[in-house]
Amino acid sequence: MENSFAKNRKALHDFFVEEEFEAGISLTGDEVKSIKNGQANLKGAYLEISNSEAYIRDMDISKYKQSSNQKYESKRKRKILLHKKEIEKLELNLQKSGLTAIPLELYAKKGKIKIKIGVMKGKKFYDKREDLKKKDQKREIEKMIKNF
């Protein structure tokens, strides 16, 4: 049973998903409580690899209200927990031109907080327009079927 806490819908609008990874994320206790309260935001977040370790940057997790931590940073760099082979594969993908790694979803799985990472390729303006046309056509067909 999966429980989703945050999704990055904008990323799916702006990018094509080439490959997906599921990973753990290193968090403090207050951050976990804040995520479970729905206080996480993936908009603008991205992945970087340094010294054979993966980190997520600019993921916003608001401060837990009952926290006593005075020096809390909501957009701090957080370590992503992946196997060494997965990190190497991700690093090879990121070296290709036009590809980037972006978090797509933050969810719970078997009591642990997991993050879905997508290796993405940017969409052109006409690709976005084409997707909107397809959505509108699908919506019209569903409306016609419902009314029929």
Side-chain angles (χ1 to χ4, degrees), residues 5-92:
F5 300 117
K7 287 188 178 182
N8 194 347
R9 290 182 176 88
K10 185 77 172 160
L12 296 175
H13 177 72
D14 292 339
F15 297 94
F16 291 114
V17 179
E18 299 286 320
E19 192 172 358
E20 289 184 352
F21 293 92
E22 179 183 71
I25 184 168
S26 180
L27 299 168
T28 64
D30 288 341
E31 288 174 336
V32 171
K33 289 178 181 180
S34 188
I35 287 171
K36 288 184 177 181
N37 285 337
Q39 301 297 314
N41 187 0
L42 297 175
K43 189 176 180 182
Y46 63 95
L47 221 78
E48 74 174 19
I49 297 175
S50 62
N51 299 331
S52 298
E53 292 183 343
Y55 296 95
I56 190 164
R57 308 271 315 202
D58 292 342
M59 181 173 78
D60 185 33
I61 300 175
S62 299
K63 184 177 177 182
Y64 184 59
K65 290 177 182 160
Q66 285 81 26
S67 174
S68 62
N69 185 357
Q70 299 297 321
K71 298 178 183 177
Y72 181 75
E73 291 181 54
S74 65
K75 290 194 173 191
R76 72 176 179 88
K77 183 166 88 169
R78 295 173 178 90
K79 187 174 181 180
I80 300 297
L81 308 173
L82 288 165
H83 292 285
K84 191 178 264 187
K85 287 185 180 183
E86 289 176 321
I87 292 174
E88 289 169 0
K89 188 175 182 182
L90 192 59
E91 194 169 20
L92 284 173

Side-chain angles (χ1 to χ4, degrees), residues 118-135:
V119 176
M120 316 287 264
K121 183 177 183 182
K123 285 185 182 179
K124 303 286 186 208
F125 179 73
Y126 53 83
D127 292 328
K128 294 178 191 178
R129 210 172 351 161
E130 191 67 33
D131 285 348
L132 289 174
K133 284 181 188 177
K134 286 179 185 176
K135 258 188 198 176

